[in-house]
Amino acid sequence: MTMTLHGYWRSSASYRVRIGANLKGIDYSQSSYDLRKGEQSGPALGRHAPLGLVPALEVDGESLSQSLAILEWLEESYPTQPLLPADAMSRGIVRAMASTIACDIHPLNNLRVLQALRHDLGVPEDAVKRWIERWIHAGFAALEIMIRDHGKGFCFGETPTIADCCLVPQIYNARRFHVDLTDFPELLAVDARCSEIDAFARAAPERQPDADGAGA
Ligand SMILES: N[C@@H](CCC(=O)N[C@@H](CS)C(=O)NCC(=O)O)C(=O)O
């Protein structure tokens, strides 16, 4: 199988997929779209992700968009090194954690939403900062409880799951936005634990081939 991840070094949704693929030991090449230049809106990505958002995963000429769908596809296609627990209730809890991030935090603070607040609605920068913090705090408060109830080193149990693939990039985003995380010790402990694992470390934005250390 030949796989290309269409993404961007600083995209947290691409970062989720990089972690998942690394944990499963899958080889992939990367194709980069500079979000600062709006490259995600062009036809090159549109062929793979009609919504014009990264990531997309191209597999032998077929394309999948949406990071959670991609992670689920990886899980079904590469069941060794599982990223979901064995029983249905546990899988549901892990998916609920991942969805809290991917559906209820990240979309509210996505680049196009922040640009709409700033440029279409004229929202001042200090209010944009409060907006970002508000939704990260709301989601992280829920995750703090879920991890306290279900985590044993990772978001759920003793091994990484798709919830950890989503949490680590969202914490990276929170730090980028200078959000205070002192109320979330469970999340920070999971993040610290994950940072010791090579698959997570290799997926870090700064280690990607298109990383340039600057910009949005
Ligand atoms: N629900 C999508 C979200 C994808 C997404 O929002 N990607 C961001 C980067 S993390 C993006 O392409 N932003 C460009 C923009 O907002 O114009 C997924 O999980 O893949």
Side-chain angles (χ1 to χ4, degrees):
M1 254 184 211
T2 308
M3 277 189 218
T4 305
L5 177 63
H6 297 266
Y8 179 60
W9 64 287
R10 252 188 171 168
S11 151
S12 60
S14 307
Y15 189 1
R16 293 171 196 156
V17 175
R18 295 195 298 261
I19 296 169
N22 291 351
L23 283 166
K24 286 182 175 290
I26 297 167
D27 266 342
Y28 57 93
S29 58
Q30 298 198 52
S31 175
S32 176
Y33 301 80
D34 192 331
L35 303 189
R36 293 162 302 184
K37 297 182 182 157
E39 288 177 358
Q40 69 278 22
S41 308
L45 180 66
R47 288 195 297 127
H48 306 289
L51 193 55
L53 299 173
V54 289
L57 187 70
E58 189 181 355
V59 186
D60 291 342
E62 284 206 277
S63 300
L64 259 181
S65 60
Q66 293 292 343
S67 60
L68 288 186
I70 296 169
L71 285 169
E72 293 274 353
W73 179 83
L74 290 174
E75 179 69 2
E76 288 182 22
S77 307
Y78 297 84
T80 51
Q81 303 288 339
L83 297 178
L84 285 170
D87 76 285
M89 178 55 75
S90 301
R91 282 199 297 278
I93 292 165
V94 168
R95 288 180 171 125
M97 291 180 179
S99 302
T100 299
I101 295 164
C103 306
D104 294 323
I105 301 176
H106 178 267
L108 291 159
N109 293 339
N110 195 5
L111 180 61
R112 63 182 181 164
V113 169
L114 300 183
Q115 281 174 339
L117 290 176
R118 287 177 181 126
H119 306 310
D120 300 349
L121 304 178
V123 176
E125 201 51 39
D126 62 323
V128 171
K129 185 176 177 351
R130 286 201 303 280
W131 169 273
I132 291 169
E133 201 163 57
R134 170 182 180 159
W135 301 119
I136 290 179
H137 271 195
F140 278 7
L143 284 163
E144 186 72 11
I145 295 167
M146 294 165 104
I147 294 172
R148 190 194 60 209
D149 290 350
H150 302 289
K152 288 198 179 101
F154 294 95
C155 285
F156 187 98
E158 296 173 356
T159 56
T161 63
I162 62 168
D164 303 282
C165 296
C166 292
L167 179 67
V168 167
Q170 188 59 54
I171 290 181
Y172 167 83
N173 268 358
R175 289 188 172 124
R176 252 184 84 199
F177 292 129
H178 306 291
V179 173
D180 182 6
L181 298 177
T182 46
D183 286 345
F184 309 112
E186 300 278 355
L187 275 67
L188 292 175
V190 170
D191 183 61
R193 177 84 187 270
C194 290
S195 72
E196 294 164 0
I197 297 172
D198 184 59
F200 283 86
R202 281 189 292 114
E206 300 72 31
R207 292 188 55 180
Q208 304 316 302
D210 54 335
D212 60 19

